[in-house]
Amino acid sequence: MSLIRHYINGTEVGEVIRTLPVYNPATGEQQHEVVCASVSEVESAIAAAKKAFPAWRATSLTKRSGVFFRLRHLLVERRAELAAIVTSEHGKVLSDADGEIARGLENVEFASGLINLLKGDFSEQVSTGIDIHQVKQPVGVVGAVTPFNFPVMVPLWMVASAIACGNTVVLKPSEKDPSAAIFLAKLFTEAGLPDGVLNVVHGDKVAVDTILDSPDVKAVSFVGSTPIARSIYQRASANGKRVQALGGAKNHMVVMPDADINGAADAAISAAYGSAGERCMAVSVLVAVGNIADELVENIRTKIGDLVIGDGTHPESEMGPLITREARDRVASYVANAPGEGATVVVDGRDKKFDSNGFFIGVSLVDNVTPDMAVYRDEIFGPVLAVVRVNTYEEAVELINNNSFGNGVAIFTRDGGTARQFEFDIEVGMVGINVPIPVPIGAYSFGGWKDSLFGDSHIYGPESIHFYTRSKVVTSRWPRAEQSRIDLGFPGNH
Ligand code: NAD
């Protein structure tokens, strides 16, 4: 069993005081131990980032962008190796792991354009002989805390833009699948990033709290579940930091009576059960409008029996296991309790048998769900699709707008007017029109509303440049000596 250690100042370090197990979810066996950082180890990572900051900040934009061009090349070259690491610790199928690397690459490509992104503004002659210009300067040391479900993509959402802007970073990846972050950090080093600019510390609350409480950390990016996101936002902002804390989700997909039912069913299956439902943009609620519900549910029921669930390294597998035994059991409990709440379990994933000790469960389809049920209210984060039947478009919108989450949403319709009205009405941060998982490309920013994001900046893309920089506005004039005079009045414009 190998030991996964921190990466601080370009070196793998870590005292083995406390460790956590890292499993292979497809076999259920522990394969690694990850060291948990002590307060002093996290402080040493923050100190390394602080020390590296002045020189990185002063590094020319051309040299900085060169690191990202080389990183892109290395990531493409070693893509299969990285995907295999993701699959072995997370469990998602290899093609899905490769897909997350592809989306992470978008963030690297975006960052490589940093010369354009960091352009300031200049206004000549705003008053007689006076010019004004605005520059974007890095904030300093950034803390980045990431969830288990995208061990490559979500760290890249944060570190690519943060580093491009001239900041240095302490990344705390999920303790459940920590190897990908170390692989990424080493790749950054290989691409020419100086030691100390990107540091990785492992662990849990102890490590995170040390980041949140350190006066040397100026900004915190977090992605994870809503209760933790809320507490991270409160603690870090009380400590005077800028914070963006992205939380959980309950994403609805509305199917209008005029939609292509077969296509909508395919989209719902893909978005609900892909990555075993462990995506923050997974569709977990299908809202069937009008009289199409029976046909839609039947279409989905007949198809999901054929899904191939198995070890993510097997090419035929379409869905892998859940991340832990506890996650699997938690998902099973929601399906078990659904009939007692009045829902109809059309397909029960617990019935599917696996000849493996891995954390597998079959896919579930639960019909006649209402908003008061736990299967609707809670983020289950597993392969469970709940169907809510409504009569009208207005009821669908009201249902979604009353939900506390607001990450992603989709509408399936052939009517452009309905789609346009939905876009206008819906209180959700990311909207798909006949697109079930509307994750914006890297040139836009990603973020939900309501309990899906605490803070005012979305992540990656243009909003990340705003988040990871401070504006400085410079007013200047170059008067001749004879123009000098005393004037106690407030500077006016002349
Ligand atoms: P999680 O909240 O359990 O953990 C996220 C991170 O926080 C991990 O690094 C973890 O070690 C750390 N952490 C856990 N408990 C903590 C505590 N008490 N104090 C400080 N830090 C703590 O989330 P997870 O289970 O790893 O990931 C799944 C969740 O992430 C889901 O809710 C999913 O919707 C959400 N998610 C959201 C987005 C988004 O963009 N909104 C993207 C991916 C995942």
Side-chain angles (χ1 to χ4, degrees), residues 414-427:
R414 290 188 181 120
D415 184 326
T418 305
R420 186 182 179 281
Q421 192 60 42
F422 185 76
E423 173 186 335
F424 185 81
D425 290 336
I426 213 70
E427 291 174 24

Side-chain angles (χ1 to χ4, degrees), residues 9 27 63 93 99 115 129 163 168 171 202 231 310 352 431 451 471:
N9 214 11
T27 62
K63 284 190 181 146
V93 300
I115 294 175
I163 291 173
T168 55
L171 166 66
H202 300 293
S231 70
K352 190 150 181 96
V431 181
D451 286 354
S471 281

Side-chain angles (χ1 to χ4, degrees), residues 123-260:
S123 299
E124 185 184 51
Q125 194 76 345
V126 289
S127 189
T128 305
I130 295 185
D131 304 327
I132 190 163
H133 70 272
Q134 184 170 19
V135 290
K136 296 171 187 165
Q137 298 190 338
V139 295
V141 177
V142 170
V145 181
T146 55
F148 79 82
N149 67 328
F150 285 107
V152 173
M153 183 182 78
V154 173
L156 284 174
W157 282 2
M158 303 172 183
V159 303
S161 287
I163 291 173
C165 290
N167 301 288
T168 55
V169 177
V170 175
L171 166 66
K172 207 301 283 175
S174 170
E175 65 282 12
K176 298 192 177 83
D177 46 11
S179 294
I182 296 295
F183 187 95
L184 273 182
K186 287 182 179 168
L187 229 50
F188 262 106
T189 302
E190 215 177 312
L193 192 72
D195 291 346
V197 176
L198 173 58
N199 308 277
V200 183
V201 292
H202 300 293
D204 46 23
K205 187 168 166 35
V206 174
V208 176
D209 286 350
T210 309
I211 292 172
L212 302 182
D213 292 343
S214 168
D216 289 329
V217 174
K218 303 299 178 193
V220 173
S221 295
F222 172 88
V223 173
S225 58
T226 286
I228 310 293
R230 185 184 278 114
S231 70
I232 298 272
Y233 180 77
Q234 287 167 348
R235 187 161 177 160
S237 53
N239 285 333
K241 304 180 198 317
R242 52 176 73 184
V243 197
Q244 52 179 186
L246 282 71
K250 196 81 185 175
N251 305 310
H252 298 67
M253 174 176 151
V254 178
V255 183
M256 295 300 292
D258 67 349
D260 166 17

